[in-house]
C-alpha cells in the first residue's frame, strides 16, 4: 500500500486483521501501521476513527487501540482492565467503614451500629416537621451555599460562647463535614494527629484526602496533652482530630483541665483542632461539657456537629463551625462539592430543632440510653466475666470492651456473627497496631432489654468457642 492509499482501504485491511485477533487484543501502534502500510499519519488516524465509529475498536489515550467486544458475546463481559492504568494509585480505602457484603442472617442482633433504634427516633415529630417544611412556598427554592440563616443561628446557639451564624456552614451530615475539613486544612501527604483509638470514619476520610493519621494515646481523662505536644513537635503536624465529649469508641470525656491544655498546645504549634462533637445530644442525663469551640478565642477549633445520631440515619444535616480564612476555605470546598444542601431537609431540621418537642426528645433519649447502657453492662459482666468494660460512659451509644489476653478480636467478631450477633472489632479503631484486643458494642440499635441480654449471651458463647479453639 502506498501513500495514495485511502483511509477506507486501510480500514478494510485492518478489518481483516481484526478477524484474526481476540477482543481486548492490542492493534499495532500508529508508527507500526505507518511503516507496515506505507501511509501517512493522517490516513492512519482517519482509518482508526472509522473503525472506532463502527464499534470495531476502542481507543485508549496513552495506551493504544484495542479490539472491541464483538456483538453477541456474553452481556456484561466488559473489559475494564485499562482502568487500572488510567486510575493510577489514588485508591480510596473504605474497609474501615464498609458494610458487610452480605446482609446479616435473619434474627441477627445488631450491636455494631452507630444509629439509634427506630423506637428511639422522633419519627412523629420528624414527619410533622418535614410536612410543614414541604408546605412552605419557597421550600424547593435554591438554598444559600452556607445554609439557611435560621438553621445556622440554631447551630450557633447550641455551640454557645461567641459563635455567630456567620461562623456556621451547614453540611450533609458529620461525615461530609469531616471530609470537607480534612481536604480544606491539610494537603496530601501531611500528617494528621488522631486519638488512639479513634472513629474509623474519620480515619477513612483523612486517608481519602491523602493525609497520614498519626496516633496519640488517650487515657481515662482523654487525649494526653504531653504526648500531643511531643507528637506535634516530632511530626510537624498542623491538624489534630479529636472527640472531646463521649468519645467514640471509648466513651471518654476530655477532663476540664486538659481542655485548655489541648488548645494551648495546638495554638503554640500553629495547629488546628477538629472537634468532632457528634454526641452533643447523646448525654445520659448528666451535664454535658461545653464544646471546645465555645472557649476558643483565636480560631484554633474547627467544630463538627450533626443531627444524624440523635434523630435518624437519613437526617443528613450537620454543621462546621470555624472562624477566619479556614472557614472561607471550607466554604469553597463545599461549593465545589455540591453547591448547597437540599432546602427541604434543612427546613425540616429547623422545624424539628425549633419545636418544643425537641428538648423532650433529647431528655427521653438520654434516659433510654442510660438504661440500655446499664442493661448491657450488667449482661456482659454475667456472660463475659473475663472481659472488661473499660469505663461506664456518661453519654454516647457504645461500650468499649477489653477482651481477655490472647483473644483475636476479628476471630471473635466472625464467631459472634455466626451465632447471630453483630459486633465491631476493636482493631478498626486504631490508626496503627492496637495495644490490646477490644470490641465496640452498641446498645442503641437493638429493640430493647431482651435483645441486649440475648446479644451478650450469644457473644459469651462465641468467646468461649474462640478460646477453646486456641
Amino acid at each position: 500500500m502506498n501513500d495514495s492509499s485511502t483511509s477506507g482501504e486501510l480500514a478494510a485491511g485492518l478489518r481483516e486483521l481484526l478477524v484474526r485477533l481476540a477482543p481486548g487484543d492490542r492493534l499495532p501502534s500508529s508508527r507500526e501501521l505507518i511503516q507496515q502500510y506505507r501511509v501517512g499519519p493522517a490516513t492512519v488516524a482517519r482509518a482508526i476513527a472509522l473503525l472506532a465509529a463502527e464499534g470495531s475498536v476502542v481507543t485508549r489515550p496513552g495506551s493504544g487501540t484495542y479490539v472491541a467486544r464483538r456483538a453477541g458475546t456474553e452481556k456484561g463481559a466488559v473489559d475494564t482492565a485499562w482502568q487500572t492504568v488510567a486510575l493510577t494509585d489514588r485508591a480510596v480505602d473504605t474497609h474501615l467503614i464498609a458494610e458487610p457484603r452480605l446482609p446479616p442472617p435473619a434474627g441477627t442482633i445488631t450491636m455494631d451500629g452507630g444509629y439509634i433504634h427506630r423506637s428511639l427516633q422522633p419519627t412523629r415529630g420528624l414527619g410533622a416537621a418535614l410536612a410543614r417544611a414541604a408546605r412552605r412556598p419557597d421550600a424547593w427554592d435554591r438554598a444559600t451555599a452556607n445554609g439557611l440563616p435560621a438553621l445556622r443561628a440554631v447551630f450557633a446557639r447550641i455551640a454557645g460562647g461567641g459563635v455567630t451564624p456567620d461562623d456556621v456552614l451547614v453540611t450533609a451530615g458529620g461525615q461530609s463535614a469531616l471530609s470537607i475539613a480534612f481536604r480544606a486544612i491539610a494537603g496530601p501527604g501531611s500528617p494528621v494527629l488522631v486519638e488512639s483509638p479513634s472513629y474509623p470514619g474519620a480515619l477513612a476520610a483523612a486517608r481519602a484526602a491523602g493525609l497520614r493519621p498519626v496516633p496519640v494515646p488517650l487515657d481515662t481523662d482523654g487525649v494526653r496533652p504531653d504526648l500531643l505536644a511531643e507528637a506535634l513537635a516530632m511530626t510537624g503536624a498542623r491538624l489534630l482530630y479529636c472527640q472531646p465529649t463521649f468519645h467514640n469508641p471509648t466513651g471518654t470525656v476530655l477532663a476540664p483541665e486538659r481542655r485548655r491544655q489541648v488548645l494551648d498546645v495546638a495554638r503554640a504549634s500553629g495547629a488546628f483542632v477538629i472537634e468532632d462533637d457528634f454526641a452533643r445530644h447523646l448525654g445520659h442525663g448528666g451535664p454535658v461539657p461545653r464544646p471546645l469551640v465555645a472557649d476558643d478565642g483565636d480560631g484554633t477549633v474547627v467544630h463538627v456537629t450533626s443531627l444524624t445520631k440523635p434523630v435518624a440515619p437519613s437526617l443528613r444535616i450537620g454543621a462546621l463551625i470555624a472562624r477566619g480564612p479556614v472557614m472561607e476555605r471550607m466554604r469553597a470546598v463545599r461549593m465545589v462539592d455540591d453547591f448547597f444542601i437540599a432546602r427541604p431537609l434543612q427546613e425540616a431540621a429547623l422545624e424539628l430543632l425549633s419545636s418544643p418537642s425537641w428538648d423532650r426528645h433529647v431528655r427521653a433519649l438520654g434516659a433510654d440510653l442510660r438504661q440500655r447502657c446499664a442493661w448491657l453492662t450488667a449482661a456482659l459482666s454475667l456472660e463475659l466475666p473475663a472481659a472488661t468494660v473499660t469505663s461506664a460512659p456518661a453519654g454516647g451509644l457504645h461500650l468499649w470492651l477489653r477482651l481477655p489476653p490472647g483473644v483475636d478480636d476479628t476471630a471473635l467478631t466472625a464467631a459472634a456473627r455466626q451465632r447471630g450477633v453483630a459486633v465491631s472489632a476493636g482493631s478498626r479503631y486504631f490508626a496503627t497496631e492496637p495495644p490490646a484486643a477490644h470490641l465496640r458494642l452498641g446498645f442503641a440499635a437493638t429493640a430493647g432489654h431482651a435483645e441486649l441480654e440475648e446479644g451478650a449471651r450469644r457473644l459469651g458463647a462465641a468467646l468461649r468457642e474462640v478460646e477453646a479453639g486456641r
Side-chain angles (χ1 to χ4, degrees), residues 32 37 41 48 54 73 90 107 153 174 179 238 344 378 426 434 444 454 459:
E32 290 170 333
Y37 290 95
I48 294 297
E54 66 187 33
T73 57
R90 285 302 308 275
S179 178
R238 293 295 177 264
E454 177 61 16
L459 183 59

Coordinates of all heavy atoms in Angstrom, one line a residue, residues 32 37 41 48 54 73 90 107 153 174 179 238 344 378 426 434 444 454 459:
E32 N 3.8 1.8 13.9 CA 3.9 0.5 13.2 C 3.0 0.4 11.9 O 3.4 -0.2 10.9 CB 3.6 -0.7 14.2 CG 4.6 -0.8 15.3 CD 4.2 -1.8 16.4 OE1 3.0 -1.9 16.6 OE2 5.1 -2.4 17.0
Y37 N 2.1 -0.2 6.3 CA 1.2 0.0 5.2 C 1.7 1.2 4.3 O 1.1 1.5 3.3 CB -0.2 0.3 5.7 CG -0.9 -0.9 6.3 CD1 -0.9 -1.2 7.6 CD2 -1.5 -1.8 5.4 CE1 -1.5 -2.3 8.1 CE2 -2.1 -2.9 5.9 CZ -2.1 -3.2 7.3 OH -2.8 -4.3 7.8
P41 N 0.5 9.7 8.7 CA -0.2 9.6 10.0 C -1.7 10.0 9.9 O -2.5 9.4 10.6 CB 0.6 10.7 10.8 CG 1.9 10.8 10.2 CD 1.6 10.5 8.7
I48 N -8.5 4.6 11.9 CA -8.8 4.2 13.2 C -10.1 4.8 13.7 O -11.0 4.2 14.3 CB -7.7 4.5 14.2 CG1 -6.4 3.7 13.8 CG2 -8.1 4.3 15.6 CD1 -6.5 2.2 14.0
E54 N -17.6 2.6 14.0 CA -18.5 1.4 13.8 C -18.4 0.4 14.9 O -19.1 -0.6 14.8 CB -18.1 0.8 12.4 CG -16.7 0.2 12.4 CD -16.3 -0.3 11.0 OE1 -16.7 0.3 10.0 OE2 -15.6 -1.3 10.9
T73 N -21.3 -11.5 22.1 CA -20.6 -12.1 23.2 C -21.5 -11.9 24.5 O -22.4 -11.1 24.5 CB -19.2 -11.4 23.4 OG1 -19.4 -10.0 23.6 CG2 -18.4 -11.7 22.2
R90 N -4.6 6.3 43.2 CA -5.4 7.1 44.1 C -6.6 6.2 44.6 O -7.8 6.7 44.5 CB -5.9 8.4 43.5 CG -4.8 9.4 43.4 CD -4.2 9.8 44.8 NE -5.2 10.1 45.8 CZ -5.8 11.3 45.9 NH1 -5.4 12.3 45.2 NH2 -6.7 11.5 46.8
G107 N -32.7 -12.5 62.2 CA -32.6 -12.7 63.6 C -31.3 -12.2 64.2 O -31.1 -12.4 65.4
A153 N -28.3 29.9 62.8 CA -28.5 30.5 64.1 C -28.7 29.5 65.2 O -28.2 29.7 66.3 CB -29.6 31.6 64.0
G174 N -22.3 14.7 59.5 CA -21.0 14.8 60.1 C -19.9 14.3 59.2 O -18.8 14.8 59.2
S179 N -14.9 15.2 55.9 CA -14.2 15.2 54.6 C -13.9 16.6 54.1 O -12.8 16.8 53.6 CB -15.1 14.5 53.6 OG -14.5 14.5 52.3
R238 N -0.1 20.0 61.6 CA -0.8 21.2 61.8 C -2.3 20.9 62.0 O -3.1 21.8 61.8 CB -0.5 22.2 60.6 CG 0.9 22.7 60.6 CD 1.2 23.5 61.8 NE 2.6 24.0 61.8 CZ 3.6 23.4 62.5 NH1 3.3 22.3 63.2 NH2 4.8 23.9 62.4
P344 N -35.4 21.5 51.5 CA -36.5 20.8 52.3 C -35.9 20.1 53.6 O -36.5 20.1 54.6 CB -37.1 19.8 51.4 CG -36.9 20.4 50.0 CD -35.5 21.0 50.1
A378 N -24.4 -4.9 82.7 CA -24.8 -6.0 83.6 C -24.7 -7.3 82.9 O -24.2 -8.3 83.4 CB -26.1 -5.7 84.3
G426 N -12.3 -4.2 67.6 CA -11.7 -3.0 68.1 C -10.5 -2.5 67.2 O -10.2 -1.4 67.2
P434 N -3.0 -2.0 67.4 CA -3.7 -1.8 68.7 C -2.9 -2.4 69.8 O -2.2 -3.4 69.7 CB -5.0 -2.6 68.5 CG -4.7 -3.6 67.4 CD -3.7 -3.0 66.5
A444 N -27.6 1.0 71.4 CA -28.7 1.9 70.9 C -29.5 1.3 69.7 O -30.6 1.8 69.5 CB -28.2 3.2 70.6
E454 N -29.8 -11.1 75.2 CA -29.6 -12.2 74.3 C -28.3 -12.0 73.5 O -27.5 -12.9 73.3 CB -30.7 -12.4 73.4 CG -30.6 -13.5 72.4 CD -30.4 -14.9 73.0 OE1 -30.7 -15.1 74.2 OE2 -29.9 -15.8 72.2
L459 N -22.7 -13.5 72.5 CA -21.3 -13.1 72.4 C -20.5 -13.9 73.4 O -19.3 -14.3 73.1 CB -21.2 -11.6 72.7 CG -19.8 -11.0 72.7 CD1 -19.2 -11.2 71.3 CD2 -19.9 -9.5 73.0

